[in-house]
Amino acid sequence: MSMNNISIIGAGTMGNGIAHVFAQAGFKVILVDINPLQLQSALDTINKNLDRQVTKGIITEEQKKLTLANIAVSSIIAEGVKNAQLIVEAATENIELKLSIFEQIDTYAPTGCILATNTSSISITKIAAVTKRADMVIGMHFMNPVPVMKLVEVINGYSTKKEVTEIIIELSKQLGKIPCAVNDYPGFIANRILMPMINEAIYSLYESVAGVEEIDTVMKLGMAHPMGPLQLADFIGLDVCLSILKVLQDGFGNPKYAPCPLLVNMVLAGKLGVKSGEGFYKYTAASKETTVSERFR
Ligand code: NAD
């Protein structure tokens, strides 16, 4: 199957990165978002990230121009997907929203178009069930920041056809990524392993086993993790971590995934990590230095 036209639904953090890597690999991309301001901001981000690649000598100025020329934008789903051979949905992580988007793209996309989702935690099988082409629905889980991170977790729903998995694996390689195929169970692989580790780090803080910096330092220096689990949680967003832990807890019916009460409280208090300016650490736009939040000093 020849792939040329890719539609990306959602132009936020992940959508702009996914558009960037497809366009850079020579695909024609339409980036769709209901919010026109978000589309402009996505184009600005892609431009800035391409500039960084030019400065580092990863791509030439000419390749930057070609990449930008491959990206068009639209705020109307029906328009944005009508010629697509692959749609990658990267809209807000909300089950009702994703089900409604999949009903729409199933209606407007051509027959034979593969429908992929970048969801971190929602069941691929559940999303596929609202379409009339469950065998063409698959998870294509990119990591943040997309232009930098090599992994694509390729998630087979219960009904996903083998040929569709093979196409997505091949396509991920064409983007310069390393695909890993997994099956559709709560948290897939990445978050099933990562989130309990983050939760355990938060429990260690909650039970005063050690402070924020000590916990992160043990994991950085002892396990060679590039970032400690508490700082990583701040980067992912504590609300996102909480919602993924709830998916694991509900999906497996196992209390071992129950979110730490401290995590629940921090989300209730609006301390969501980098995006709110404070989580386990404090973040200021002016400085790249991070300091431990006063609450944990
Ligand atoms: P985000 O909030 O940055 O962006 C979501 C975008 O979706 C917004 O621009 C919003 O306007 C748009 N949107 C909402 N409803 C829409 C609709 N009906 N049609 C079109 N666009 C719509 O979110 P994000 O962090 O980019 O996450 C997107 C997806 O990627 C989620 O499923 C998330 O779980 C997953 N994901 C996120 C990360 C991460 O680190 N942020 C990593 C891997 C996977």
Side-chain angles (χ1 to χ4, degrees), residues 77-141:
I77 286 193
E79 273 298 306
V81 304
K82 68 180 183 197
N83 294 319
Q85 283 131 3
L86 168 69
I87 300 171
V88 183
E89 173 277 318
T92 315
E93 185 80 342
N94 172 302
I95 177 95
E96 298 310 326
L97 174 69
K98 290 206 193 274
L99 297 183
S100 141
I101 289 176
F102 271 78
E103 273 173 356
Q104 292 176 62
I105 61 181
D106 187 38
T107 304
Y108 298 116
T111 314
C113 173
I114 296 176
L115 312 184
T117 172
N118 185 52
T119 180
S120 309
S121 63
I122 296 170
S123 159
I124 309 302
T125 306
K126 188 164 189 168
I127 290 174
V130 300
T131 73
K132 294 184 187 69
R133 55 178 108 185
D135 56 346
M136 302 285 285
V137 177
I138 191 161
M140 197 175 186
H141 185 201

Side-chain angles (χ1 to χ4, degrees), residues 132-196:
K132 294 184 187 69
R133 55 178 108 185
D135 56 346
M136 302 285 285
V137 177
I138 191 161
M140 197 175 186
H141 185 201
F142 290 85
M143 305 292 129
N144 186 17
V146 182
V148 176
M149 297 290 278
K150 285 281 178 201
L151 177 69
V152 178
E153 203 178 18
V154 176
I155 304 130
N156 297 309
Y158 187 84
S159 308
T160 310
K161 269 198 292 204
K162 198 161 158 258
E163 295 87 315
V164 168
T165 309
E166 285 164 1
I167 290 169
I168 296 300
I169 285 182
E170 202 38 55
L171 201 56
S172 304
K173 290 181 187 164
Q174 280 182 48
L175 301 179
K177 303 293 181 199
I178 298 173
C180 276
V182 312
N183 290 323
D184 181 27
Y185 289 101
F188 319 133
I189 287 295
N191 283 318
R192 180 174 180 163
I193 295 174
L194 175 64
M195 288 303 156

Side-chain angles (χ1 to χ4, degrees), residues 3-25:
M3 284 270 178
N4 192 36
N5 298 334
I6 316 290
S7 298
I8 317 285
I9 312 291
T13 311
M14 297 304 286
N16 80 61
I18 297 168
H20 177 148
V21 295
F22 271 107
Q24 197 165 346

